Amino acid sequence: MSDSLSAEGAPAPDNASPPARPSASSPSVDSVSACASATVALDLHLPEALRRTERAAATRLAPHTLMSRAGTAVAHWLHGRLPALASAGRQPVLLLAGPGNNGGDAYVAARELHRRGVLVDVWQLAPPTTHDARWALAEALAAGVAVRPAPHTWPQPGTYAWIVDGLFGIGLSRPLEGAAATLVDNIAYAHAHGTPVLAIDIPSGLIAATGIADGPVIRANATIAMLGACPGLFTGIGRDVAGQVLVATLGAQDVPAASGAGLLSTSAPGAFAAHLPKRHHASHKGSYGCLAVIGGHEGMVGAPILSARAGLMTGAGRVYVGFVAPDAPAWDPMHPELMLRHAQGLDLPSMQAVAIGPGLGTSAASAACLSRVLALEDTPLVIDADGLNLLAADPSLAQRVRHRAGPTVLTPHPLEAARLTGCDVARIQSDRLASARALAMRFGATVVLKGSGSIIDDGTRAWINTTGNAGLATAGTGDVLTGVIGALLAQGMPATQAALAAVWLHGKAAERCVEQGAGPAGLTASELLPAIRHELTTLADPAQTARRRISA
């Protein structure tokens, strides 16, 4: 997977003339430096909000300043990563320029690389249509940069050291077609044969607000977002095509934030770490809550067992499993600590949290279990899987969720979300942020819309999770997540923070497993459990983790 990184572009001189190359003793005007990972939240911005920020910043600066800074930041970052042949002027860099301001950024980057002795080829998809882009093209031509129309044929793989995508930016709202689609397909061919790609602002073809692409899309090794990052870089197919994401603020940090700023960000421990359960010597199993996991219709008893095991590994003091199936197992030989019952035999009012849905089924007995759980007015609930399908099928059950006094967390995957909203999966995936918000508002719940870049929304603000990998695309991992959320709720975490923590830990555990050689292909849900415990311990008590390392 790709880490989400924030980067700063130091400001260029506030004038329209090309910035001079900085000396070794002067502050750099064109540097981009990575400074964060998935452990630090990154504010995200919808395209129109970034446009407002851009307009506000431009009013404070001389003409063309932001474009000059953006292109210079691209050139500086790329120059530091060129192979020796390219740095020595013996292997060219290809820059692709579209008709808008992204094309203008590419012209400025080409000019700056040319000034540093790098061979550059600039392919123009169409003549510039904005004032800034026309200025940038004139500056590049005046510096001696050769610009030509994009050809229909592609050179041999390996011709270029890097390809810079400056075709389309965050304003794109339709699929690429015609010459643009052909050019993107050619870039995909070169990329597949080893040529790295850097995208300016966003990979061309990716919709900035939603992370979808209905046509050809650039696959980049890295993306430098200007002024701020859009949510599409982190959800949908964004994580597959954006590569390493950086943000160049272009010296506009002091511009007043747009309305709604701070209500959308990536998820990070800062959003939930203060609420993680603390472990004290003077405590006992009752100090850490009782969790009940209800599910397990015939043929599906493994699902609630996975959830319950995850609850144990996440610190719940006691974990019960209530099965719908009449012939369910009496004990779990892998974890005899679990207390297995028939669902009707559980003392639900004594529980600090209840998770329902894994393997629950949709029979009359299953619906009766959900109805009984919804009678717990104040108990924190997690509803997953068939619990969600029952809500979708019975409006009266859904209404009871809306009117609960206690906190509720819903954890749908896209198909379950589609059933809950009466639409299809394509509609859910076309705007995952809007879909999660609609569900949160409809049910008065914290919603975890699962998928690449899982979205957590509490009806007021939203977070996109950036941990995890393709190893999670296997049966049972959702059941594990449900158990983690339930355990954190049982230990007293607020619902939104429990959901944020669980999704983040779940993803980090998958990353840890893959780093240790388990997956992504073939990673099993059970393998996540000890990794989740490790990540939780590291996060909740870093001093203890450090002591263990020293003693080892």
Side-chain angles (χ1 to χ4, degrees):
M1 63 162 286
S2 305
D3 289 336
S4 60
L5 303 175
S6 175
E8 302 288 321
D14 293 348
N15 54 56
S17 59
R21 183 176 179 178
S23 67
S25 59
S26 65
S28 172
V29 297
D30 54 6
S31 64
V32 175
S33 57
C35 62
S37 69
T39 59
V40 178
L42 177 66
D43 284 337
L44 302 177
H45 312 270
L46 292 172
E48 184 50 42
L50 280 180
R51 293 297 191 204
R52 290 195 297 269
T53 300
E54 182 180 15
R55 290 191 292 268
T59 62
R60 301 183 176 196
L61 302 169
H64 318 305
T65 298
L66 285 177
M67 183 164 287
S68 180
R69 291 177 179 179
T72 303
V74 169
H76 181 80
W77 185 90
L78 185 58
H79 189 263
R81 286 150 184 84
L82 292 177
L85 279 178
S87 296
R90 296 169 58 190
Q91 185 184 21
V93 171
L94 174 62
L95 297 101
L96 307 170
N101 283 346
N102 267 64
D105 295 343
Y107 294 131
V108 173
R111 180 194 72 190
E112 291 304 304
L113 289 169
H114 175 73
R115 285 180 169 178
R116 297 176 188 221
V118 178
L119 288 177
V120 294
D121 286 348
V122 179
W123 292 0
Q124 185 185 78
L125 178 65
T129 58
T130 70
H131 178 60
D132 276 350
R134 285 191 287 268
W135 165 82
L137 173 58
E139 290 289 318
L141 293 172
V145 174
V147 179
R148 63 188 177 107
H152 296 293
T153 59
W154 192 263
Q156 290 295 318
T159 300
Y160 293 104
W162 274 78
I163 298 171
V164 177
D165 167 26
L167 295 174
F168 297 97
I170 62 174
L172 185 73
S173 58
R174 65 185 188 281
L176 299 182
E177 55 188 17
T182 300
L183 185 54
V184 169
D185 285 338
N186 284 334
I187 297 167
Y189 173 78
H191 185 255
H193 285 78
T195 304
V197 175
L198 170 64
I200 299 175
D201 250 346
I202 196 163
S204 293
L206 184 69
I207 306 303
T210 62
I212 67 168
D214 290 330
V217 62
I218 294 287
R219 289 185 176 268
N221 296 76
T223 298
I224 300 179
M226 302 301 167
L227 297 175
C230 289
L233 293 167
F234 301 96
T235 195
I237 69 163
R239 289 179 64 185
D240 285 317
V241 303
Q244 185 184 57
V245 177
L246 305 104
V247 178
T249 57
L250 308 181
Q253 301 94 316
D254 60 341
V255 175
S259 176
L263 297 181
L264 175 61
S265 69
T266 60
S267 178
F272 58 80
H275 298 275
L276 287 171
K278 303 297 189 292
R279 312 295 287 196
H280 302 289
H281 281 288
S283 62
H284 51 82
K285 61 189 176 187
S287 305
Y288 304 109
C290 294
L291 168 66
V293 179
I294 300 175
H297 214 290
E298 287 89 345
M300 297 183 288
V301 296
I305 289 176
L306 272 173
S307 289
R309 289 176 178 178
L312 277 179
M313 290 287 197
T314 314
R318 289 179 290 183
V319 181
Y320 294 81
V321 182
F323 295 107
V324 178
D327 57 349
W331 69 300
D332 177 8
M334 290 291 294
H335 282 280
E337 304 91 347
L338 296 176
M339 290 167 279
L340 278 51
R341 306 278 193 276
H342 190 273
Q344 295 301 321
L346 288 177
D347 179 15
L348 293 182
S350 69
M351 302 296 164
Q352 276 66 60
V354 175
I356 184 167
L360 180 67
T362 55
S363 68
S366 306
C369 284
L370 180 57
S371 180
R372 182 171 174 236
V373 166
L374 292 177
L376 302 169
E377 285 294 323
D378 300 311
T379 304
L381 302 184
V382 190
I383 306 177
D384 182 31
D386 280 332
L388 300 172
N389 294 329
L390 287 168
L391 294 182
D394 188 339
S396 67
L397 291 175
Q399 186 174 20
R400 290 174 64 185
V401 173
R402 287 193 292 273
H403 292 107
R404 293 191 73 246
T408 307
V409 180
L410 307 181
T411 60
H413 57 52
L415 178 56
E416 291 160 350
R419 290 169 180 154
L420 286 168
T421 54
C423 66
D424 58 21
V425 172
R427 179 69 177 272
I428 295 295
Q429 294 293 77
S430 71
D431 195 336
R432 287 169 53 77
L433 282 167
S435 298
R437 175 56 55 86
L439 285 170
M441 297 296 291
R442 179 180 178 183
F443 287 96
T446 295
V447 169
V448 177
L449 179 57
K450 295 183 283 195
S452 179
S454 291
I455 293 167
I456 301 92
D457 194 302
D458 65 2
T460 301
R461 64 161 298 167
W463 298 259
I464 299 179
N465 188 64
T466 60
T467 64
N469 53 41
L472 293 172
T474 188
T477 58
D479 302 319
V480 168
L481 177 62
T482 297
V484 176
I485 297 173
L488 295 176
L489 289 174
Q491 293 171 82
M493 283 190 77
T496 298
Q497 284 69 37
L500 286 166
V503 176
W504 193 91
L505 289 166
H506 190 246
K508 286 294 287 182
E511 293 174 13
R512 180 175 181 81
C513 288
V514 171
E515 288 166 2
Q516 294 178 343
L523 178 67
T524 65
S526 294
E527 290 175 286
L528 293 171
L529 303 183
I532 288 171
R533 179 176 59 191
H534 176 89
E535 295 297 337
L536 176 61
T537 301
T538 301
L539 198 59
D541 193 352
Q544 177 179 322
T545 303
R547 288 193 297 270
R548 287 177 180 172
R549 289 173 181 164
I550 292 171
S551 63

